[in-house]
Amino acid sequence: MKDTTMTHRSNITPPSMDIVVPCYNEKEAFPHCLEVLGNVLCNLMSAKKVSPQSKIIFVDDGSKDNTWLQIKEACSKNGFVSGVKLSRNRGHQNALIAGLSESKSDVVISIDADLQDDVHCIESMLEEYNKGSDIVYGVRNDRSTDSVFKRTTAKMFYSLMENMGVNQVSNHADYRLMSRNAVDCLLNFKEQNMYIRGIVPLLGFTSSKVYYSRDERVAGESKYPIKKMISLAVEGITSLTITPLRMISALGFITCIISIITAIYAIIEKINGSTVEGWTSVMISIIFFGGVQLLCLGVIGEYVGKIYIETKGRPRFFVEEKQGGNDEVK
């Protein structure tokens, strides 16, 4: 996915970098996350690979535990830590957008608080950025730490998204580097139903990949069980493609052809004097096609519902409080 026409940035001043970390009920994982990311950031600053203005931005997505209290304490003790608290839970994608909106640095890296993504790739991402990439995707090439069920459902998820026409990087979640220009362009997307994994490739900037092995979660529970994986898939598909609507049209066309063939068959049998009898077959047909119609209405309703939400133009989130940096808003 590399572009041979990249413009190298190696000889310029080290870029400022923000690491955006969405958090939701991460009281067990937060101390480890802060320590590891803090060490990574300090090492990069010491090596003069990023500027001293670099920082970590933690976004509390309406946590019900003491995650925000820990973020506030970290901000008071570390000058490189900032915090943003949303007024209520708005979902991972909106929390990520809130963090990206808060960042003003040259480079922004997004990563989940569980740190199952390899933080050592941050340096590799910066190297790709210096070579000219505006977007660097963190891609998992080994999911051996996941359960068989998790690996299977993940594979089905990416396969489904690809078959539905969603343009996204396989085995890439939300661990990525984006340049200032790429972030500004991403923030121009104003829709409520934001599926960032599918939108970032649409930006069209020079991009590359770094590969890593997925680690086990150090603490807490996964925020993406099978129910949320299905919800995320529906969100991505209905936000980025109309393939399901086209499938409904194709299904309707096929059903009409079958109905015509069945009608011709019934007429021929009637002429020959051997009418087709059977209450069961008639009821099965009615129930089957009734189910198909309800399913189609459900898919159409999903799209209509999204249109309804988008036309309201409501804000995606509200910031209740900020900590760290040069400003503190309550």
Side-chain angles (χ1 to χ4, degrees):
M1 200 165 181
K2 293 184 180 180
D3 191 334
T4 56
T5 62
M6 291 186 199
T7 302
H8 286 246
R9 302 185 178 101
S10 310
N11 298 324
I12 65 175
T13 304
S16 56
M17 179 185 74
D18 288 342
I19 302 176
V20 175
V21 188
C23 303
Y24 178 66
N25 293 341
E26 296 289 359
K27 65 178 183 180
E28 293 94 351
F30 182 81
H32 175 74
C33 178
L34 175 63
E35 179 183 2
V36 172
L37 291 181
N39 289 335
V40 169
L41 187 60
C42 290
N43 290 337
L44 290 172
M45 287 191 288
S46 298
K48 296 184 178 180
K49 293 188 176 181
V50 297
S51 76
Q53 288 73 39
S54 302
K55 62 182 181 293
I56 304 171
I57 302 174
F58 291 102
V59 182
D60 179 33
D61 185 24
S63 297
K64 298 178 182 178
D65 57 16
N66 69 342
T67 298
W68 178 242
L69 294 178
Q70 294 189 57
I71 293 174
K72 289 177 68 174
E73 184 179 358
C75 292
S76 64
K77 294 181 178 179
N78 304 280
F80 58 83
V81 177
S82 294
V84 178
K85 181 180 183 347
L86 303 187
S87 60
R88 68 182 183 90
N89 179 250
R90 294 296 296 159
H92 180 274
Q93 301 290 278
N94 281 322
L96 183 52
I97 288 294
L100 295 176
S101 301
E102 185 67 19
S103 172
K104 299 297 183 288
S105 293
D106 301 321
V107 174
V108 184
I109 291 178
S110 57
I111 189 170
D112 290 339
D114 57 22
L115 294 190
Q116 288 186 275
D117 301 313
D118 187 0
V119 297
H120 297 98
C121 286
I122 292 177
E123 187 171 353
S124 300
M125 288 179 172
L126 283 170
E127 291 175 358
E128 293 296 326
Y129 168 78
N130 288 329
K131 291 177 183 178
S133 291
D134 283 290
I135 302 170
V136 184
Y137 299 100
V139 181
R140 303 165 187 161
N141 60 1
D142 182 9
R143 304 185 69 127
S144 57
T145 57
D146 289 343
S147 64
V148 175
F149 177 77
K150 181 68 174 178
R151 290 198 301 270
T152 303
T153 53
K155 185 177 180 180
M156 292 172 59
F157 171 79
Y158 289 112
S159 177
L160 173 64
M161 300 297 278
E162 182 179 354
N163 291 332
M164 288 289 109
V166 178
N167 180 25
Q168 68 174 26
V169 178
S170 184
N171 285 315
H172 162 73
D174 288 297
Y175 185 30
R176 72 179 71 85
L177 175 150
M178 299 182 69
S179 68
R180 179 76 263 151
N181 191 25
V183 171
D184 289 341
C185 290
L186 175 63
L187 293 177
N188 283 330
F189 286 80
K190 301 301 182 183
E191 59 254 43
Q192 294 283 323
N193 303 288
M194 180 76 79
Y195 182 67
I196 301 175
R197 303 179 194 180
I199 290 179
V200 171
L202 297 179
L203 299 179
F205 292 104
T206 302
S207 61
S208 56
K209 301 176 184 177
V210 295
Y211 296 90
Y212 65 94
S213 298
R214 184 173 173 82
D215 296 327
E216 294 182 357
R217 185 180 244 274
V218 294
E221 298 179 351
S222 171
K223 303 303 184 294
Y224 274 100
I226 183 63
K227 181 180 178 180
K228 282 200 172 182
M229 285 286 287
I230 295 174
S231 177
L232 186 66
V234 172
E235 185 74 27
I237 292 169
T238 55
S239 298
L240 294 168
T241 178
I242 60 170
T243 299
L245 296 178
R246 290 175 176 169
M247 291 175 64
I248 289 175
S249 297
L251 179 62
F253 177 76
I254 293 172
T255 303
C256 288
I257 296 298
I258 294 175
S259 299
I260 292 172
I261 294 174
T262 304
I264 293 173
Y265 171 74
I267 292 172
I268 293 175
E269 289 296 302
K270 177 68 174 179
I271 293 173
N272 293 333
S274 55
T275 56
V276 180
E277 298 179 358
W279 179 87
T280 303
S281 60
V282 173
M283 291 305 300
I284 290 175
S285 298
I286 293 174
I287 293 171
F288 172 75
F289 287 111
V292 169
Q293 289 173 344
L294 289 175
L295 175 62
C296 294
L297 286 174
V299 174
I300 295 172
E302 184 72 25
Y303 279 93
V304 173
K306 289 190 180 299
I307 295 171
Y308 173 71
I309 293 173
E310 293 293 343
T311 56
K312 290 177 177 293
R314 293 175 176 173
R316 285 189 292 232
F317 55 84
F318 292 104
V319 175
E320 179 179 326
E321 185 177 348
K322 295 182 182 179
Q323 291 285 334
N326 298 322
D327 56 352
E328 181 176 325
V329 181
K330 293 184 180 180

